[in-house]
Amino acid sequence: MDIVGNVLPQVLKDEATEDKGEMARLQSFVGAIAVADLVKTTLGPKGMDKILKPTGPGQEMTHITVTNDGATILKSMYVENPAAKILIEISKTQDEEVGDGTTTVAVLAGELLREGEKLIQKRIHPQHVIAGWRIARDVALKRLRDISSENDINSQEFHDDLVKIARTTLSSKLITSDRDYFADLCVNAVLRLKGSSNLDYIQIIKLPGGTIRDSYLDDGFILKKQITIGCKRRIENAKILVANTAMDYDKIKIYGTKVKVNSMDKVAEIEAAEKEKMKHKVDKILKYQPTVFVNRQLIYNYPEQLLADSGITVIEHADFEGMERVAAATGAEILSTFDAPERAAQVLGHCDLIEEIMIGEEKMIKFSGCKKNEACTIVLRGASTHILDEVDRSIHDALCVLITTVKNKRVVWGGGNSEMQMAAACEEEAKKVQGKQAFAIEAFARALRQIPTIICDNGGYDSAELIQNFKVELQKGNQNCGLNMTDGTIGSMSELGVKECLRVKEQALMAASEAAELIMRVDDIVKCAPRKRERA
Amino acid sequence: MSLAFDDYGRPYIILRDQGQKKRMKGLEAYKSNILAAKAVANTLQSSLGPKGMDKMLVSPDGDVAVTNDGATIVEKMEIQHPTAKLLVELSQSQDAEIGDGTTGVVVLAGKLLEQALTLLDKGIHPLKISDGFDRACDVAIKHLESIAEEIDIQANDHEALIQAACTALGSKVVSKRKRELGKIAVTAVLDVADLKRKDVNLDLIKIQTKTGGSVEDTRLISGILIDKDMSHPQMQKEVTDAKICLLTCPFEPPKPKTKHNINISNAEDYKKLYQQEQQYFIDMVKLVKDSGANIALCQWGFDDEANHLLLQNDLPAVRWVSGTDVELIAMATGARIIPRFQEITPEKLGKAGSIKEVQFGTSNERMLVIENCQCTKAVTILIRGGSQMIVDEAKRSIHDAICVIRNLIKDNRIVYGGGSAELACALQVLQYADEVSSVEQYAVRSFADALEGIPNCLADNCGLNPITSVAQAKSRQLTEKNPRIGIDCMELGTSDMKEQKIYETLSSKKQQIQLATQVVKMILKIDDVIAPDDY
């Protein structure tokens, strides 16, 4: 019914709803802010973790996750609210693009909307708010780039920067007490890549047992597979043939073939032919003169025995990813046909030593001294799988940030320094702008300042006091001051060595403001009738 | 539906299941239809103009889309009401024909229906109303043509085209970067346009999206971008002076479509078959290699062995290239699509300057770029953005801008935006109204009112006082005899849309008024709705 009391005809489907104007806006603000509040407590070095418990029946549903990683938390949540979904989406993109700052981006977007809501209540039109935010974003971005510094990629300073960045990233994670150890480990791993951004070369193996401290970086490549029984366990100067071929029996690929025989003799004949075919294949492989044969697919006993007899070490069933890594690390070509032994030198991979090693209780194969020395393996140890999973996520974050830094090279001070600087820049700008956009610019500054405030709050410090002191320090011209979260004071970030990657901050700022703008522009939410699902 | 009874109390059954059907007729039907259609127009109304708001649409599966594009909104609303569906089609036909102005056309239809409602209340017959609207429409179109101006699209580095693209992008979420995106769209269209024939084949512009980065990172790639990588991880990642073999047959043993059985009854046959199979692969690769090709793009999959043979022969290859991409590549590189290996000949190969693999972000996603194609200059616009929703919306916005530019190349007459064209038409129609001596006069006058509704709505969305600003603009148009006075939505201090450089194509405006009038006429002709009761 409309206001006058006329009955309006129903336009949408039965269960569909439409919210307009204030109602729509309220709905999206509430949703987005709720999501931001949820992850907000994980922010900063003193942030807390969350337990994620899957719903639904079944054994696998009892596996819980303990994490502090924003993207992981948001990804696993099931939300109904469309605005909340947008926040989750940007967090995911942040994860894919730079790998870290996933919490920050959601929190910043949430805080922007919280400020936006206040402005709307003051009767400022959303389009004016957006106009102000756009000015503020440009100013903040400019300041962010101005305060960043760059070091030569080969210098010692750059190396130190990397270690500091890794430490900063890791300090908010579970392994914060061992962050120096892991920071070195990550930096060494990333530096091996020599500027390439292919994370595939860094393999992470998780093995429960021991303590976190027992984790180490291995300069070789470790394959979580076993050498087939009856083969040599240690091969020096190995020539490796990496293959993706059927070694069980060769299926006939021509469609519609059928074996039809009329006597037992014929069966034997065919069997012999089959064997011969396999033998033939093995012979062809032998012509390449490898000392190690790695196959992606299953290897039946017969060819396995043939190969082992020729003194070749056989590794079967290497998963696809592992195989690609072996190929990449040893410089081998992945073969599926074996008709060109003259190219052997080209297609065979090489490494100095292959041996079976024991990590904890598990046997693994280690390839060391590979042709391409970029590959390495991080072996993680820890008391439980939950811890290992979380350490894995933390290390992944750190590696992503480091790779981004190696590409981008520019760094900024951490400890909330960049946010406070950006906020200050916005406030200066607000004084110059005419019209009501200025309110929105101020709001943007407040939202930015919320990030260090939340970090303080999470650490249990008096955020109001600290942030004010922080402002004053900056005003005094102390460009590298920041939050000292161990003592709850304002300290010098260059002394504490807290640095962050510019690219991460940039991406977080851009993505958060884009998302907030997107949500702000909405004045109508139409929800279609949910699709009916039949229960199986 | 109520039943009629004969003298003996037996009901007349005319329709099947008559008791369960609902019937509306006469005025009741008119009003119900108009209200339903208006409900849709009302939803779109706040999206009109540079300061229009967006709509958030949640699909039946819970996916979220945020958009400002009229056609997309009405499509995703999943409207059920039959009359309201007419408006959905209205918006979509504007989208298909022109590509821009999809919101405006629905809003105009809504305004016309609103006027029709008051006329119905006055007791004017619906057909008279639609006749009046029809006559008014003709007058408006004629006037529109007389005030249209031709612009030189080439002057000043295609400045006019960029401005028109900016007008189209101005109302979208990407409006901050409208100048950059406008330029990208103009360059893209000009690259593929055939200026002599005044035609643009929009198929040659591929819009590829990729989340990550921000809208600023959106780029124009003078080539084709396909979201695929080389079939074997160790194939070379870059091919210069590429000779492309475009295949639509898989690198697999043949599979005849007729059912057949090959029976093997002895070991000889078994061996023979094996050899034959091996030979297939060797032959296939040899045929490709012999033709002089140095890269193969295939619509289908590869067998492992074939894949390796390709690698061994230094022949990079890409599998599972989508059908549309295959056609695009064929057009751009001059390659013939080859359906059988036996038919590969050197002259059927396409040529391109280079083909290389590029990588984005930390996740290892790779794409292929084909640059400097031999024949036409197919281009790709790679859209980036913070989230899937922004990227999707940017894609729709760029599509709108591209359509506008295409329309301008086809027909370089423009009218000015900001509601000025509608106001000018309204004034003309109003003048004409007094010359009509029959009942239609009222309808014609109402048509003028409805046209005025557009600037009204624009002003409203921009936070201006709609009645004052429209009245001002109207009086200035009359006193200054300047049809370019509109609503100053961006608060730039001038109401002359020529100075503000708000261009809209004549074809789009004409189409809007014609289509809206047509749909309204159609709705006004419905006087009886019979539907199942639970509807």
Side-chain angles (χ1 to χ4, degrees):
Chain A
M1 270 195 284
D2 65 1
I3 312 159
V4 208
N6 294 328
V7 179
L8 285 175
Q10 189 186 4
V11 175
L12 297 171
K13 282 190 183 154
D14 266 348
E15 283 164 73
T17 55
E18 183 175 7
D19 290 304
K20 292 188 174 213
E22 292 298 300
M23 276 311 291
R25 221 163 268 141
L26 189 72
Q27 207 188 351
S28 45
F29 285 152
V30 167
I33 292 172
V35 166
D37 280 351
L38 188 109
V39 288
K40 159 168 129 172
T41 53
T42 62
L43 202 64
K46 299 277 168 87
M48 306 299 275
D49 291 1
K50 308 264 174 225
I51 287 187
L52 304 170
K53 188 180 172 301
T55 53
Q59 196 62 48
E60 69 276 14
M61 286 300 177
T62 53
H63 180 84
I64 60 163
T65 315
V66 184
T67 183
N68 165 299
D69 182 51
T72 313
I73 299 172
L74 292 174
K75 249 189 278 183
S76 342
M77 275 194 324
Y78 180 76
V79 295
E80 185 67 49
N81 187 294
K85 280 188 187 152
I86 294 183
L87 248 58
I88 292 173
E89 182 79 20
I90 55 165
S91 182
K92 261 193 240 168
T93 318
Q94 177 88 5
D95 192 33
E96 281 163 22
E97 192 72 5
V98 288
D100 191 33
T102 50
T103 315
T104 318
V105 64
V107 172
L108 186 57
E111 291 301 330
L112 274 171
L113 288 170
R114 196 195 300 275
E115 293 294 333
E117 191 182 10
K118 286 183 202 154
L119 293 175
I120 302 267
Q121 275 165 4
K122 280 191 201 160
R123 300 268 153 232
I124 294 177
H125 194 271
Q127 290 285 1
H128 286 290
V129 178
I130 290 169
W133 281 354
R134 286 181 172 180
I135 299 172
R137 175 171 80 158
D138 284 351
V139 171
L141 196 63
K142 189 172 172 301
R143 173 64 62 95
L144 188 64
R145 288 188 181 147
D146 286 348
I147 59 170
S148 64
S149 57
E150 187 178 342
N151 276 322
D152 183 60
I153 189 150
N154 291 322
S155 66
Q156 182 61 34
E157 286 87 7
F158 187 71
H159 186 261
D160 290 348
D161 274 356
L162 284 181
V163 175
K164 284 173 188 163
I165 289 171
R167 276 181 46 190
T168 314
T169 307
L170 293 173
S171 66
S172 61
K173 313 286 180 187
L174 189 69
I175 43 177
T176 171
S177 51
D178 297 310
R179 61 170 183 251
D180 292 330
Y181 180 73
F182 280 103
D184 274 335
L185 195 145
C186 292
V187 171
N188 285 335
V190 169
L191 285 180
R192 288 178 73 98
L193 296 181
K194 298 193 186 72
S196 124
S197 62
N198 198 347
L199 262 186
D200 282 350
Y201 284 125
I202 303 176
Q203 199 194 11
I204 298 181
I205 289 183
K206 295 177 276 187
L207 281 175
T211 65
I212 295 179
R213 268 283 181 175
D214 295 334
S215 307
Y216 63 94
L217 178 76
D218 201 303
D219 58 354
F221 175 85
I222 295 179
L223 195 65
K224 226 174 161 178
K225 283 283 168 300
Q226 285 184 27
I227 293 176
T228 313
I229 301 159
C231 298
K232 270 199 282 181
R233 291 282 181 265
R234 187 186 155 90
I235 304 106
E236 276 175 47
N237 238 334
K239 281 193 275 179
I240 306 158
L241 185 84
V242 185
N244 175 15
T245 185
M247 292 293 272
D248 36 3
Y249 70 99
D250 257 329
K251 287 184 286 292
I252 301 170
K253 285 169 186 162
I254 296 170
Y255 183 72
T257 3
K258 216 175 175 185
V259 179
K260 217 177 191 177
V261 286
N262 42 18
S263 72
M264 280 309 285
D265 292 349
K266 299 274 188 199
V267 178
E269 262 176 45
I270 298 235
E271 200 197 348
E274 214 172 62
K275 263 193 171 174
E276 198 187 328
K277 191 170 148 190
M278 190 44 74
K279 175 108 182 23
H280 187 59
K281 196 168 191 175
V282 171
D283 283 344
K284 280 201 273 185
I285 292 172
L286 289 177
K287 279 206 190 111
Y288 282 81
Q289 294 175 321
T291 49
V292 180
F293 179 69
V294 183
N295 191 17
R296 183 183 151 214
Q297 298 174 26
L298 188 79
I299 303 178
Y300 267 17
N301 287 352
Y302 177 64
E304 189 179 286
Q305 185 209 330
L306 285 177
L307 288 165
D309 284 348
S310 325
I312 295 175
T313 305
V314 180
I315 303 167
E316 64 171 336
H317 241 221
D319 50 288
F320 201 78
E321 223 172 83
M323 199 184 63
E324 274 192 28
R325 278 188 188 144
V326 170
T330 60
E333 197 171 279
I334 301 172
L335 300 186
S336 292
T337 57
F338 309 95
D339 293 325
E342 67 278 4
R343 291 175 72 245
Q346 239 174 301
V347 298
L348 289 189
H350 176 91
C351 79
D352 293 342
L353 178 68
I354 296 178
E355 60 183 335
E356 198 172 65
I357 51 165
M358 295 274 286
I359 307 175
E361 271 93 67
E362 278 200 61
K363 282 184 191 158
M364 312 233 171
I365 306 164
K366 179 174 161 185
F367 297 73
S368 40
C370 299
K371 203 171 182 178
K372 295 220 174 80
N373 219 1
E374 287 155 4
C376 60
T377 307
I378 297 175
V379 180
L380 296 179
R381 308 299 314 271
S384 77
T385 46
H386 296 140
I387 294 179
L388 283 176
D389 286 345
E390 177 64 359
V391 174
D392 179 17
R393 279 188 290 269
S394 313
I395 297 274
H396 176 259
D397 275 11
L399 290 176
C400 286
V401 173
L402 288 174
I403 282 183
T404 317
T405 318
V406 170
K407 264 200 269 184
N408 182 267
K409 300 193 194 66
R410 299 192 77 87
V411 293
V412 291
W413 297 110
N417 178 289
S418 54
E419 282 87 2
M420 292 296 279
Q421 295 255 29
M422 286 193 276
C426 291
E427 269 171 5
E428 282 160 31
E429 183 67 22
K431 287 175 194 154
K432 296 180 219 154
V433 171
Q434 281 193 335
K436 35 195 165 185
Q437 287 96 312
F439 285 106
I441 302 177
E442 277 171 13
F444 200 93
R446 275 198 299 278
L448 280 170
R449 207 162 272 149
Q450 276 300 310
I451 300 276
T453 312
I454 293 168
I455 295 179
C456 283
D457 283 339
N458 287 346
Y461 300 119
D462 183 351
S463 60
E465 174 142 348
L466 268 178
I467 296 300
Q468 180 55 30
N469 292 350
F470 198 162
K471 261 196 216 171
V472 173
E473 281 293 320
L474 269 184
Q475 193 66 35
K476 279 187 199 156
N478 207 345
Q479 288 301 324
N480 58 20
C481 62
L483 295 170
N484 180 341
M485 287 304 288
T486 35
D487 309 337
T489 53
I490 302 299
S492 161
M493 286 296 117
S494 57
E495 278 167 32
L496 287 168
V498 181
K499 282 200 169 181
E500 281 175 286
C501 169
L502 171 74
R503 182 82 188 91
V504 174
K505 290 278 163 199
E506 250 179 30
Q507 176 72 20
L509 178 72
M510 303 294 273
S513 60
E514 261 177 18
E517 204 177 284
L518 197 69
I519 296 172
M520 197 66 168
R521 282 173 62 102
V522 170
D523 75 334
D524 197 328
I525 299 179
V526 180
K527 272 201 193 125
C528 295
R531 203 184 295 284
K532 296 270 186 301
R533 277 179 218 288
E534 246 102 275
R535 290 245 164 191
Chain B
M1 197 192 273
S2 60
L3 296 173
F5 298 94
D6 65 3
D7 293 349
Y8 302 100
R10 285 178 306 208
Y12 289 112
I13 307 270
I14 299 159
L15 300 170
R16 208 167 73 178
D17 300 334
Q18 191 159 346
Q20 275 126 50
K21 287 207 171 132
K22 203 170 58 180
R23 180 172 178 202
M24 269 193 300
K25 54 181 176 179
L27 212 53
E28 191 199 357
Y30 288 122
K31 287 194 174 167
S32 160
N33 285 338
I34 289 177
L35 282 175
K38 256 189 66 189
V40 178
N42 275 347
T43 301
L44 286 194
Q45 194 165 323
S46 62
S47 286
L48 192 72
K51 298 260 170 105
M53 305 296 278
D54 291 359
K55 310 280 171 250
M56 195 181 266
L57 301 149
V58 184
S59 81
D61 297 322
D63 298 328
V64 183
V66 179
T67 181
N68 178 294
D69 182 58
T72 316
I73 298 173
V74 287
E75 185 202 325
K76 296 206 170 178
M77 271 171 86
E78 301 212 341
I79 288 168
Q80 189 185 34
H81 195 284
T83 326
K85 267 189 189 158
L86 287 176
L87 287 204
V88 177
E89 279 162 27
L90 168 69
S91 186
Q92 279 165 354
S93 58
Q94 172 86 10
D95 194 35
E97 190 71 19
I98 304 290
D100 184 39
T102 50
T103 314
V105 67
V106 176
V107 174
L108 184 60
K111 295 282 172 197
L112 283 171
L113 287 170
E114 202 173 304
Q115 294 296 334
L117 201 59
T118 46
L119 291 175
L120 282 172
D121 280 344
K122 277 188 190 156
I124 298 176
H125 191 274
L127 281 184
K128 292 281 175 200
I129 302 176
S130 66
D131 272 356
F133 279 179
D134 216 11
R135 286 160 78 169
C137 176
D138 288 345
V139 174
I141 298 291
K142 220 170 270 165
H143 188 63
L144 210 52
E145 276 171 2
S146 72
I147 60 168
E149 291 177 22
E150 281 193 12
I151 50 161
D152 184 0
I153 53 171
Q154 310 235 318
N156 198 3
D157 218 6
H158 301 101
E159 183 59 29
L161 289 183
I162 298 177
Q163 283 301 340
C166 286
T167 310
L169 291 170
S171 60
K172 314 287 179 182
V173 73
V174 291
S175 59
K176 185 163 186 237
R177 297 285 156 213
K178 62 180 175 191
R179 180 102 202 146
E180 286 89 334
L181 294 181
K183 263 190 192 157
I184 287 179
V186 170
T187 328
V189 175
L190 286 175
D191 273 355
V192 300
D194 184 346
L195 288 177
K196 266 189 221 134
R197 282 200 304 129
K198 292 194 172 181
D199 192 24
V200 184
N201 184 357
L202 286 191
D203 287 346
L204 289 175
I205 302 178
K206 194 179 170 207
I207 303 182
Q208 182 82 43
T209 58
K210 181 100 191 134
T211 46
S214 87
V215 180
E216 276 95 277
D217 300 331
T218 298
R219 274 187 295 160
L220 179 72
I221 294 164
S222 53
I224 303 165
L225 192 72
I226 42 178
D227 196 358
K228 289 278 172 301
D229 53 5
M230 297 295 181
S231 61
H232 196 286
Q234 284 158 331
M235 281 174 181
Q236 64 193 89
K237 305 282 184 237
E238 192 174 346
V239 180
T240 42
D241 286 326
K243 294 192 190 61
I244 303 160
C245 180
L246 206 56
L247 293 165
T248 52
C249 45
F251 274 94
E252 276 165 18
K255 286 180 187 158
K257 291 192 181 76
T258 32
K259 270 208 168 150
H260 65 280
N261 266 326
I262 302 171
N263 286 337
I264 296 169
S265 48
N266 57 41
E268 279 307 304
D269 287 355
Y270 185 84
K271 278 180 199 156
K272 236 188 246 165
L273 196 65
Y274 172 71
Q275 271 156 8
Q276 189 140 39
E277 188 184 284
Q278 294 295 310
Q279 200 56 39
Y280 266 130
F281 293 123
I282 295 167
D283 285 349
M284 278 176 198
V285 177
K286 193 170 176 312
L287 280 168
V288 178
K289 190 79 190 171
D290 284 351
S291 68
N294 55 11
I295 185 162
L297 304 181
C298 182
Q299 201 181 355
W300 299 97
F302 297 170
D303 188 274
D304 275 344
E305 283 183 43
N307 200 8
H308 176 252
L309 270 175
L310 286 168
L311 172 72
Q312 205 173 32
N313 283 302
D314 280 329
L315 198 63
V318 185
R319 57 183 150 187
W320 300 121
V321 180
S322 76
T324 42
D325 282 344
V326 166
E327 278 174 30
L328 188 64
I329 294 168
M331 264 194 286
T333 62
R336 292 270 293 279
I337 298 173
I338 305 168
R340 269 181 296 275
F341 285 102
Q342 286 72 27
E343 290 173 17
I344 303 176
T345 50
E347 54 273 17
K348 285 183 181 167
L349 300 181
K351 290 194 186 68
S354 77
I355 298 180
K356 60 176 178 241
E357 232 179 64
V358 287
Q359 196 179 358
F360 298 97
T362 56
S363 53
N364 274 319
E365 283 184 71
R366 286 176 276 256
M367 289 189 179
L368 277 182
V369 187
I370 306 176
E371 278 173 326
N372 296 329
C373 303
Q374 168 187 250
C375 287
T376 43
K377 290 163 284 178
V379 292
T380 308
I381 299 176
L382 176 66
I383 298 177
R384 313 288 319 265
S387 69
Q388 191 58 45
M389 292 132 206
I390 292 183
V391 172
D392 287 346
E393 176 67 356
K395 182 175 176 180
R396 286 188 283 265
S397 312
I398 293 220
H399 172 257
D400 278 12
I402 287 175
C403 287
V404 168
I405 300 161
R406 180 208 42 194
N407 294 341
L408 269 180
I409 289 176
K410 273 187 173 167
D411 178 357
N412 64 346
R413 284 177 298 170
I414 53 144
V415 290
Y416 293 94
S420 63
E422 283 88 353
L423 263 185
C425 290
L427 288 170
Q428 187 67 25
V429 172
L430 212 53
Q431 213 179 353
Y432 166 74
D434 295 337
E435 297 164 18
V436 181
S437 59
S438 53
V439 192
E440 282 93 343
Q441 191 189 88
Y442 286 90
V444 174
R445 199 168 286 146
S446 299
F447 191 90
D449 283 346
L451 279 174
E452 240 171 66
I454 296 279
N456 214 315
C457 181
L458 268 180
D460 200 15
N461 286 347
C462 302
L464 301 167
N465 185 335
I467 300 173
T468 343
S469 36
V470 172
Q472 255 173 19
K474 220 160 91 178
S475 78
R476 278 189 64 192
Q477 279 215 1
L478 268 181
T479 47
E480 295 172 25
K481 299 236 172 311
N482 181 355
R484 300 186 300 268
I485 303 290
I487 306 291
D488 178 19
C489 295
M490 303 308 286
E491 290 165 52
L492 296 175
T494 170
S495 303
D496 192 329
M497 289 301 133
K498 194 171 189 175
E499 283 169 38
Q500 283 213 12
K501 295 190 176 144
I502 309 290
Y503 300 147
E504 285 187 63
T505 54
L506 172 68
S507 49
S508 161
K509 267 277 129 63
K510 255 165 70 177
Q511 182 92 1
Q512 272 187 11
I513 297 180
Q514 280 168 338
L515 282 179
T517 316
Q518 264 174 29
V519 165
V520 169
K521 274 168 63 186
M522 193 196 268
I523 294 176
L524 282 176
K525 282 190 84 149
I526 306 169
D527 76 336
D528 207 330
V529 180
I530 299 170
D533 208 9
D534 56 349
Y535 210 61

